[in-house]
Amino acid sequence: MADVQQGSLAVVEKSLVALFVVVVGAVLVNKFRGKKLKLPPGPLAVPIFGNWLQVGDDLNHRNLGDLAKKFGKIFLLKMGRRNLVVVSSPDLAKEMLTTKGVEFGSRTRNVVFDIFTGKGQDMVFTVYGEHWRKMRRIMTVPFFTNKVVQQYRFALEDEIGRVVEDVKSRPEASTTGIVIRRRLQLMMYNIMYRIMFDRRFESEKDPLFLQLKALNDERSRLAQSFDYNYGDFIPILRPFLRGYLNICKEIKEARLNFFKEYFVEERKKLASVKTVELKCGMDYILDAQIKGEISEDNVLYIVENINAAAIETTLWSIEWGIAELVNHPHIQNKLREELDIVLGRGVQITEPDIIRLPYLQAVVKETLRLRMATPLLVPHMNLYDAKLGGYDIPAESKILVNSWYLANNPAEWDNPQQFRPERFLEEEKKTEANGNDFRYLPFGVGRRSCPGVILALPILGLSLGRLVQNFELLPPPGHTRLDTTEKAGQFSLKILNHSLIVAKPRVF
Ligand code: HEM
């Protein structure tokens, strides 16, 4: 009897244990199920490498566009330890850049950008928060208002006028051709250095200019290269990157010291001995430093940001515009006709004229659509776990908006591969470059959008306008068109070859 009782007790005990295990198991399964993330679609990832071996290093706008056709308007790539989310539709761009602009308003940096920005002591690559707000506020008055455009419009016109005169003075320009980019690069430096420091460089051979350009070019090459991806994606491979990172550190130090010694300190000295009538950009920035709002390092990173964000992007866009005009002579002629009719033959275009020149504006917009200088915007990041398009986006994902794909998707645009400015006077006449249409975001939109658009658009309009007014732009002898092979970087798009261009002066 006692044995029977003990036996049934053991059965009860076992049943209870079994029940307990089942209940706990169910609770845990439920809990894990609840936690299971709904990640965006993407190719199957392998351990350690993720998708890196499948998709490779060249994550440019076209390759990412091809992946969007396969995986949809949002997809996830695991690049080693990094999550890379790519957004390729206007509705998701809207959700991310505006509706959830705060959540997705931070920036990722990689191992190289960490070095060049002092881990985000700058404005362009810092996370969304107090520091970014302060830096953007301090930079707005000296660089990003219409007042600045009005104050410097004569400087812009002067610099572009000098390009025209220099090109006219070079006989080979009208015969064998010249690499006009080199002169336009000097122009862009002069425009930005006049705004920043009230300084300009006399010629392409000015030793200070050559040194500055060499340091900036090296920074741009090192930062935009895909060659260092492996060490960024897979930390155990980082030791192999030591040499590369050391070069980045040397260039960064040399560059910031150069800005300090030759420009910032010089401006301080000048401001201390005489009262400057008209403040230049640096005077405002130094005022903020004196008030204790920012540190000396922050000042230097502001100079770094203007050098990196303003000069090359605008120059690449001018170059693309020229290349398209050379390769489409009927568009070049039509633009020249507009300038002649509206302004009068030989009357040089000035900033207030741009508004009266719709075809010129359309040429600029079409250049920025087909040949976006920053086709993936500047990478964004969510500091915390977030949702996008109904998917879970793990904290600290790198988010690219493929704005080139948005503006070149045949489902959204008529014949997008064709360079046709007329589209912006016809079916796209309401589409502006300021982000009023989420299919067209050459400058981004929302909190982290490009504040320099206010300067970039007049510079582009004036440069292309003056060149077309004064010259017939042609491919070099023996060529029927210019080579427009693209060279993409981490988030840049420039023309690979700086071809010779024939600039035949017009006779008025
Ligand atoms: C054609 C020329 C230019 C293009 C295509 C361009 C494009 C862009 C784009 C796409 C972004 C990132 C937007 C985003 O991530 O959502 C950006 C950011 C920025 N751009 Fe430009 N840009 C140009 C010229 C300029 C100029 C002339 C300046 C300065 C005078 C400038 C200063 C900046 C700054 C400071 C940022 C960072 C904004 C932030 O993170 O808050 N850009 N630009």
Side-chain angles (χ1 to χ4, degrees), residues 313-381:
T313 44
T314 315
L315 179 63
W316 298 333
S317 306
I318 300 173
E319 272 185 286
W320 279 123
I322 294 173
E324 293 298 350
L325 289 170
V326 170
N327 289 346
H328 297 87
H330 63 288
I331 295 175
Q332 192 184 140
N333 287 338
K334 197 168 162 183
L335 175 57
R336 193 171 292 117
E337 245 170 58
E338 180 185 73
L339 290 155
D340 283 354
I341 292 169
V342 175
L343 306 177
R345 274 175 75 88
V347 179
Q348 302 295 304
I349 173 178
T350 61
E351 190 273 331
D353 297 324
I354 295 175
I355 200 164
R356 298 192 287 139
L357 297 159
Y359 197 66
L360 173 65
Q361 290 176 51
V363 167
V364 169
K365 283 184 188 172
E366 181 69 342
T367 303
L368 292 168
R369 184 194 66 80
L370 189 63
R371 308 293 193 174
M372 269 180 202
T374 40
L376 303 168
L377 305 185
V378 177
H380 283 240
M381 190 255 276

Coordinates of all heavy atoms in Angstrom, one line a residue, residues 313-381:
T313 N 32.3 69.0 -53.8 CA 30.9 68.7 -54.3 C 30.4 69.7 -55.4 O 29.9 69.2 -56.4 CB 29.9 68.8 -53.2 OG1 30.1 70.0 -52.4 CG2 29.9 67.6 -52.3
T314 N 30.7 70.9 -55.2 CA 30.2 71.9 -56.1 C 31.0 71.8 -57.4 O 30.5 71.9 -58.5 CB 30.3 73.4 -55.5 OG1 29.7 73.3 -54.2 CG2 29.5 74.4 -56.3
L315 N 32.3 71.6 -57.2 CA 33.2 71.5 -58.4 C 32.8 70.3 -59.3 O 32.7 70.4 -60.5 CB 34.7 71.4 -57.9 CG 35.7 71.2 -59.0 CD1 35.8 72.4 -59.9 CD2 37.1 71.0 -58.4
W316 N 32.6 69.2 -58.6 CA 32.2 68.0 -59.4 C 30.9 68.3 -60.2 O 30.8 67.9 -61.3 CB 31.9 66.8 -58.5 CG 33.1 66.3 -57.7 CD1 34.4 66.4 -58.0 CD2 33.0 65.6 -56.4 NE1 35.2 65.8 -57.0 CE2 34.4 65.3 -56.0 CE3 32.0 65.2 -55.6 CZ2 34.7 64.7 -54.9 CZ3 32.3 64.5 -54.4 CH2 33.7 64.3 -54.0
S317 N 30.0 69.0 -59.5 CA 28.7 69.2 -60.2 C 28.9 70.2 -61.4 O 28.3 70.0 -62.5 CB 27.7 69.9 -59.2 OG 27.6 69.1 -58.1
I318 N 29.8 71.2 -61.3 CA 30.1 72.0 -62.4 C 30.7 71.2 -63.5 O 30.3 71.3 -64.7 CB 31.0 73.2 -62.0 CG1 30.4 74.0 -60.9 CG2 31.4 74.1 -63.2 CD1 31.4 75.1 -60.4
E319 N 31.6 70.3 -63.2 CA 32.3 69.5 -64.2 C 31.3 68.6 -64.9 O 31.4 68.4 -66.1 CB 33.3 68.5 -63.5 CG 34.6 69.1 -63.3 CD 35.5 68.0 -62.7 OE1 35.4 67.7 -61.5 OE2 36.3 67.4 -63.5
W320 N 30.4 68.0 -64.1 CA 29.3 67.2 -64.8 C 28.5 68.0 -65.7 O 28.2 67.6 -66.8 CB 28.4 66.5 -63.7 CG 29.0 65.3 -63.1 CD1 29.2 65.1 -61.7 CD2 29.4 64.1 -63.7 NE1 29.7 63.8 -61.5 CE2 29.9 63.2 -62.7 CE3 29.5 63.6 -65.0 CZ2 30.3 61.9 -62.9 CZ3 29.9 62.3 -65.3 CH2 30.4 61.5 -64.3
G321 N 28.1 69.2 -65.3 CA 27.3 70.1 -66.1 C 28.0 70.4 -67.4 O 27.4 70.3 -68.5
I322 N 29.3 70.7 -67.3 CA 30.1 71.1 -68.6 C 30.1 69.8 -69.5 O 29.8 69.9 -70.7 CB 31.5 71.5 -68.2 CG1 31.4 72.8 -67.4 CG2 32.3 71.6 -69.5 CD1 32.8 73.3 -66.9
A323 N 30.4 68.7 -68.9 CA 30.5 67.4 -69.7 C 29.2 67.2 -70.4 O 29.1 66.9 -71.6 CB 30.9 66.3 -68.8
E324 N 28.1 67.3 -69.7 CA 26.8 67.1 -70.4 C 26.5 68.1 -71.5 O 25.9 67.8 -72.5 CB 25.6 67.1 -69.4 CG 25.7 65.9 -68.3 CD 25.5 64.5 -69.0 OE1 25.2 64.4 -70.2 OE2 25.7 63.5 -68.3
L325 N 26.9 69.4 -71.2 CA 26.7 70.4 -72.3 C 27.5 70.2 -73.5 O 27.1 70.4 -74.6 CB 26.9 71.8 -71.7 CG 25.9 72.3 -70.7 CD1 26.3 73.5 -69.9 CD2 24.5 72.5 -71.3
V326 N 28.8 69.7 -73.3 CA 29.6 69.4 -74.4 C 29.0 68.2 -75.2 O 29.0 68.2 -76.4 CB 31.1 69.0 -73.9 CG1 31.9 68.5 -75.1 CG2 31.7 70.3 -73.4
N327 N 28.5 67.2 -74.5 CA 28.0 66.0 -75.2 C 26.6 66.2 -75.7 O 26.1 65.4 -76.5 CB 28.0 64.8 -74.2 CG 29.4 64.3 -73.9 OD1 30.4 64.7 -74.7 ND2 29.6 63.5 -72.9
H328 N 26.0 67.3 -75.4 CA 24.6 67.6 -75.9 C 24.6 69.0 -76.5 O 24.1 70.0 -75.9 CB 23.5 67.5 -74.8 CG 23.4 66.1 -74.3 ND1 24.2 65.7 -73.3 CD2 22.7 65.1 -74.7 CE1 23.9 64.4 -73.0 NE2 23.0 64.0 -73.9
P329 N 25.3 69.2 -77.7 CA 25.4 70.6 -78.2 C 24.1 71.3 -78.5 O 24.1 72.5 -78.3 CB 26.2 70.3 -79.6 CG 26.4 68.9 -79.7 CD 25.9 68.2 -78.5
H330 N 23.1 70.6 -78.8 CA 21.8 71.3 -79.0 C 21.3 71.9 -77.7 O 20.7 73.0 -77.7 CB 20.7 70.3 -79.6 CG 20.4 69.2 -78.7 ND1 21.2 68.1 -78.5 CD2 19.2 69.0 -78.0 CE1 20.6 67.3 -77.7 NE2 19.4 67.7 -77.3
I331 N 21.6 71.3 -76.6 CA 21.2 71.8 -75.2 C 22.0 73.0 -74.9 O 21.5 74.1 -74.5 CB 21.2 70.7 -74.1 CG1 20.2 69.6 -74.4 CG2 21.0 71.3 -72.8 CD1 20.3 68.4 -73.5
Q332 N 23.3 72.9 -75.2 CA 24.2 74.0 -75.0 C 23.8 75.2 -75.8 O 23.7 76.4 -75.3 CB 25.6 73.6 -75.4 CG 26.7 74.6 -75.0 CD 28.1 74.2 -75.5 OE1 28.8 75.1 -75.9 NE2 28.5 73.0 -75.5
N333 N 23.4 75.0 -77.1 CA 22.9 76.1 -78.0 C 21.7 76.7 -77.4 O 21.5 78.0 -77.4 CB 22.7 75.6 -79.4 CG 24.0 75.3 -80.1 OD1 25.0 75.9 -79.7 ND2 23.9 74.5 -81.1
K334 N 20.8 75.9 -77.0 CA 19.5 76.4 -76.5 C 19.7 77.2 -75.2 O 19.1 78.3 -75.1 CB 18.6 75.2 -76.1 CG 17.1 75.5 -76.0 CD 16.3 74.2 -75.9 CE 14.9 74.5 -75.4 NZ 14.1 73.4 -75.2
L335 N 20.6 76.8 -74.4 CA 21.0 77.6 -73.2 C 21.6 78.9 -73.6 O 21.2 80.0 -73.1 CB 21.9 76.8 -72.3 CG 22.5 77.5 -71.1 CD1 21.4 78.0 -70.2 CD2 23.4 76.6 -70.3
R336 N 22.5 78.9 -74.6 CA 23.1 80.1 -75.0 C 22.1 81.1 -75.6 O 22.1 82.3 -75.3 CB 24.2 79.8 -76.1 CG 25.1 80.9 -76.4 CD 26.3 80.4 -77.3 NE 27.2 79.5 -76.6 CZ 27.4 78.2 -77.0 NH1 26.7 77.7 -78.0 NH2 28.2 77.5 -76.3
E337 N 21.1 80.5 -76.3 CA 20.1 81.4 -76.9 C 19.3 82.1 -75.8 O 19.0 83.2 -75.9 CB 19.1 80.5 -77.7 CG 19.1 80.7 -79.2 CD 18.4 79.6 -79.9 OE1 17.2 79.4 -79.6 OE2 19.0 78.9 -80.7
E338 N 18.9 81.3 -74.8 CA 18.2 81.9 -73.7 C 19.0 83.0 -73.0 O 18.4 84.1 -72.8 CB 17.9 80.8 -72.6 CG 17.1 81.4 -71.4 CD 16.8 80.5 -70.3 OE1 17.8 80.2 -69.5 OE2 15.7 80.1 -70.1
L339 N 20.3 82.8 -72.8 CA 21.1 83.9 -72.2 C 21.1 85.1 -73.1 O 21.0 86.2 -72.6 CB 22.5 83.3 -71.9 CG 22.6 82.3 -70.8 CD1 23.8 81.4 -71.0 CD2 22.7 82.9 -69.4
D340 N 21.3 84.9 -74.4 CA 21.4 86.0 -75.3 C 20.1 86.8 -75.4 O 20.0 88.0 -75.4 CB 21.7 85.5 -76.7 CG 23.2 85.2 -76.9 OD1 23.9 85.4 -75.9 OD2 23.6 84.6 -77.9
I341 N 19.0 86.0 -75.4 CA 17.6 86.7 -75.5 C 17.3 87.4 -74.3 O 16.9 88.6 -74.3 CB 16.5 85.7 -75.9 CG1 16.8 85.2 -77.3 CG2 15.1 86.3 -75.8 CD1 16.0 84.0 -77.7
V342 N 17.4 86.8 -73.1 CA 17.0 87.4 -71.9 C 17.9 88.5 -71.4 O 17.5 89.6 -71.0 CB 16.8 86.3 -70.7 CG1 16.5 87.0 -69.4 CG2 15.8 85.3 -71.1
L343 N 19.2 88.3 -71.5 CA 20.2 89.3 -71.0 C 20.7 90.2 -72.1 O 21.1 91.3 -71.8 CB 21.4 88.6 -70.4 CG 21.1 87.6 -69.3 CD1 22.4 86.9 -68.8 CD2 20.3 88.2 -68.1
G344 N 20.7 89.8 -73.3 CA 21.4 90.5 -74.4 C 22.7 89.9 -74.7 O 23.4 89.5 -73.7
R345 N 23.1 89.9 -75.9 CA 24.4 89.3 -76.3 C 25.6 90.0 -75.5 O 25.7 91.2 -75.5 CB 24.7 89.4 -77.8 CG 24.0 88.3 -78.6 CD 24.2 88.6 -80.1 NE 25.6 88.4 -80.5 CZ 26.1 87.2 -80.9 NH1 25.3 86.2 -81.0 NH2 27.3 87.1 -81.3
G346 N 26.4 89.2 -74.9 CA 27.6 89.8 -74.2 C 27.3 90.4 -72.9 O 28.3 90.8 -72.2
V347 N 26.1 90.5 -72.5 CA 25.8 91.1 -71.1 C 26.0 89.9 -70.1 O 25.3 88.9 -70.2 CB 24.4 91.6 -71.0 CG1 24.1 92.2 -69.6 CG2 24.1 92.7 -72.1
Q348 N 27.0 90.1 -69.2 CA 27.4 89.0 -68.4 C 26.3 88.7 -67.3 O 25.8 89.6 -66.6 CB 28.7 89.3 -67.7 CG 29.8 89.6 -68.7 CD 30.2 88.4 -69.5 OE1 30.5 87.3 -69.0 NE2 30.1 88.5 -70.9
I349 N 26.0 87.4 -67.2 CA 25.0 87.0 -66.2 C 25.5 87.3 -64.8 O 26.6 87.1 -64.4 CB 24.7 85.5 -66.3 CG1 23.7 85.1 -65.2 CG2 25.9 84.6 -66.3 CD1 23.3 83.6 -65.3
T350 N 24.5 87.8 -64.0 CA 24.8 88.1 -62.5 C 23.8 87.3 -61.7 O 22.8 86.7 -62.3 CB 24.7 89.6 -62.2 OG1 23.3 90.0 -62.5 CG2 25.7 90.4 -63.0
E351 N 24.0 87.2 -60.4 CA 23.2 86.4 -59.5 C 21.7 86.7 -59.6 O 20.9 85.7 -59.8 CB 23.7 86.5 -58.1 CG 23.2 85.5 -57.1 CD 21.9 86.0 -56.5 OE1 21.7 87.2 -56.4 OE2 21.0 85.1 -56.1
P352 N 21.3 88.0 -59.6 CA 19.8 88.2 -59.7 C 19.2 87.8 -61.0 O 18.0 87.7 -61.1 CB 19.7 89.7 -59.5 CG 21.1 90.2 -59.1 CD 22.1 89.2 -59.5
D353 N 20.0 87.6 -62.0 CA 19.4 87.2 -63.3 C 18.9 85.8 -63.3 O 18.1 85.4 -64.2 CB 20.5 87.3 -64.5 CG 21.0 88.7 -64.6 OD1 20.1 89.6 -64.5 OD2 22.2 88.9 -64.9
I354 N 19.5 84.9 -62.4 CA 19.2 83.5 -62.5 C 17.7 83.2 -62.5 O 17.2 82.4 -63.3 CB 19.9 82.7 -61.4 CG1 21.5 82.9 -61.6 CG2 19.6 81.2 -61.4 CD1 22.3 82.3 -60.4
I355 N 17.0 83.9 -61.7 CA 15.6 83.7 -61.6 C 14.8 83.9 -62.9 O 13.8 83.3 -63.2 CB 15.0 84.6 -60.4 CG1 13.7 84.0 -60.0 CG2 14.9 86.0 -60.8 CD1 13.3 84.5 -58.6
R356 N 15.4 84.7 -63.8 CA 14.8 85.0 -65.1 C 15.2 84.0 -66.2 O 14.9 84.2 -67.4 CB 15.2 86.4 -65.6 CG 14.7 87.5 -64.6 CD 14.9 88.9 -65.3 NE 16.3 89.3 -65.4 CZ 16.8 89.9 -66.5 NH1 16.1 90.1 -67.6 NH2 18.1 90.3 -66.4
L357 N 16.0 83.0 -65.8 CA 16.6 82.1 -66.8 C 16.1 80.6 -66.5 O 16.9 79.8 -66.0 CB 18.1 82.2 -66.8 CG 18.6 83.6 -67.2 CD1 20.0 83.8 -66.7 CD2 18.6 83.8 -68.7
P358 N 14.9 80.3 -66.9 CA 14.4 79.0 -66.5 C 15.1 77.8 -67.1 O 15.3 76.8 -66.5 CB 12.9 79.0 -67.0 CG 12.8 80.2 -67.9 CD 13.9 81.2 -67.5
Y359 N 15.6 78.0 -68.4 CA 16.3 76.9 -69.0 C 17.6 76.6 -68.3 O 18.0 75.5 -68.1 CB 16.5 77.1 -70.5 CG 16.9 75.9 -71.2 CD1 15.9 74.8 -71.3 CD2 18.1 75.6 -71.8 CE1 16.2 73.6 -71.9 CE2 18.4 74.5 -72.4 CZ 17.5 73.4 -72.5 OH 17.8 72.3 -73.1
L360 N 18.3 77.7 -67.9 CA 19.6 77.5 -67.1 C 19.3 76.8 -65.8 O 20.0 75.8 -65.5 CB 20.2 78.9 -66.8 CG 21.4 78.9 -65.9 CD1 22.6 78.2 -66.5 CD2 21.8 80.3 -65.5
Q361 N 18.2 77.2 -65.1 CA 17.9 76.5 -63.9 C 17.6 75.0 -64.2 O 17.9 74.1 -63.4 CB 16.6 77.1 -63.2 CG 16.9 78.5 -62.7 CD 15.6 79.1 -62.1 OE1 14.9 78.5 -61.4 NE2 15.3 80.3 -62.6
A362 N 16.9 74.7 -65.3 CA 16.6 73.3 -65.6 C 17.8 72.5 -65.9 O 18.0 71.4 -65.6 CB 15.6 73.3 -66.8
V363 N 18.8 73.2 -66.6 CA 20.1 72.5 -66.9 C 20.8 72.1 -65.5 O 21.3 71.0 -65.4 CB 21.0 73.4 -67.8 CG1 22.5 72.9 -67.8 CG2 20.5 73.5 -69.2
V364 N 20.8 73.1 -64.6 CA 21.4 72.8 -63.3 C 20.7 71.6 -62.6 O 21.3 70.7 -62.1 CB 21.4 74.1 -62.4 CG1 21.8 73.8 -61.0 CG2 22.3 75.1 -63.0
K365 N 19.4 71.7 -62.6 CA 18.6 70.6 -61.9 C 18.8 69.3 -62.6 O 19.0 68.2 -61.9 CB 17.1 70.9 -62.0 CG 16.6 72.0 -61.0 CD 15.1 72.1 -61.2 CE 14.5 73.2 -60.5 NZ 13.1 73.3 -60.8
E366 N 18.9 69.3 -63.9 CA 19.0 68.0 -64.6 C 20.4 67.4 -64.4 O 20.6 66.2 -64.2 CB 18.8 68.2 -66.1 CG 18.9 67.0 -67.0 CD 17.8 65.9 -66.7 OE1 17.1 66.0 -65.7 OE2 17.6 65.0 -67.6
T367 N 21.4 68.3 -64.3 CA 22.8 67.8 -63.9 C 22.8 67.2 -62.6 O 23.4 66.1 -62.4 CB 23.8 69.1 -63.9 OG1 23.7 69.7 -65.2 CG2 25.2 68.6 -63.6
L368 N 22.1 67.8 -61.6 CA 22.1 67.3 -60.2 C 21.3 66.0 -60.1 O 21.4 65.3 -59.2 CB 21.5 68.4 -59.3 CG 22.4 69.6 -59.1 CD1 21.6 70.7 -58.3 CD2 23.7 69.3 -58.3
R369 N 20.4 65.8 -61.1 CA 19.5 64.6 -61.1 C 20.3 63.4 -61.6 O 20.5 62.4 -60.9 CB 18.3 64.8 -61.9 CG 17.3 63.6 -61.9 CD 16.3 63.7 -63.0 NE 16.8 63.6 -64.3 CZ 17.2 62.4 -64.9 NH1 17.0 61.3 -64.2 NH2 17.8 62.4 -66.1
L370 N 20.9 63.6 -62.8 CA 21.6 62.5 -63.5 C 22.9 62.2 -62.8 O 23.4 61.1 -62.8 CB 21.7 62.8 -65.0 CG 22.2 61.7 -65.9 CD1 21.2 60.5 -65.9 CD2 22.4 62.2 -67.3
R371 N 23.6 63.3 -62.4 CA 25.0 63.1 -61.9 C 25.1 63.7 -60.5 O 25.8 64.7 -60.3 CB 25.9 63.9 -62.8 CG 25.8 63.6 -64.3 CD 26.2 62.2 -64.6 NE 26.4 62.0 -66.1 CZ 26.8 60.9 -66.6 NH1 27.2 59.9 -65.8 NH2 26.9 60.8 -67.9
M372 N 24.4 63.1 -59.6 CA 24.4 63.6 -58.2 C 25.8 63.5 -57.6 O 26.3 62.4 -57.6 CB 23.4 62.8 -57.4 CG 22.1 63.4 -57.3 SD 21.0 62.4 -56.3 CE 19.5 62.9 -57.0
A373 N 26.3 64.6 -57.1 CA 27.6 64.5 -56.5 C 27.7 63.7 -55.2 O 28.7 63.1 -54.9 CB 28.1 66.0 -56.2
T374 N 26.6 63.6 -54.5 CA 26.5 62.8 -53.3 C 25.2 61.9 -53.4 O 24.2 62.1 -52.8 CB 26.3 63.6 -52.0 OG1 25.4 64.7 -52.3 CG2 27.6 64.2 -51.5
P375 N 25.4 60.8 -54.3 CA 24.2 60.0 -54.7 C 23.6 59.2 -53.5 O 22.5 58.7 -53.7 CB 24.8 59.1 -55.7 CG 26.3 59.0 -55.5 CD 26.6 60.3 -54.8
L376 N 24.3 59.1 -52.4 CA 23.8 58.3 -51.3 C 23.6 59.2 -50.1 O 23.5 58.7 -48.9 CB 24.7 57.1 -50.9 CG 25.0 56.2 -52.1 CD1 26.2 55.3 -51.8 CD2 23.8 55.3 -52.4
L377 N 23.4 60.5 -50.3 CA 23.5 61.5 -49.3 C 24.8 61.3 -48.5 O 25.7 60.8 -49.0 CB 22.2 61.5 -48.4 CG 20.9 61.6 -49.1 CD1 19.7 61.6 -48.1 CD2 20.8 62.7 -50.0
V378 N 24.8 61.8 -47.2 CA 25.9 61.5 -46.3 C 25.2 60.5 -45.4 O 24.1 60.6 -44.9 CB 26.3 62.8 -45.5 CG1 27.4 62.4 -44.5 CG2 26.8 63.8 -46.5
P379 N 26.0 59.4 -45.1 CA 25.3 58.3 -44.3 C 24.6 58.8 -43.0 O 25.2 59.6 -42.3 CB 26.5 57.3 -44.0 CG 27.5 57.6 -45.0 CD 27.4 59.1 -45.4
H380 N 23.4 58.3 -42.8 CA 22.7 58.5 -41.6 C 22.8 57.4 -40.6 O 23.3 56.3 -41.0 CB 21.2 58.8 -41.9 CG 20.9 60.1 -42.5 ND1 20.0 61.0 -41.9 CD2 21.3 60.7 -43.6 CE1 20.0 62.1 -42.6 NE2 20.7 61.9 -43.7
M381 N 22.3 57.6 -39.4 CA 22.4 56.5 -38.4 C 21.3 56.7 -37.3 O 20.9 57.8 -37.1 CB 23.8 56.6 -37.7 CG 24.1 55.4 -36.8 SD 24.1 55.8 -35.1 CE 25.6 56.6 -34.8

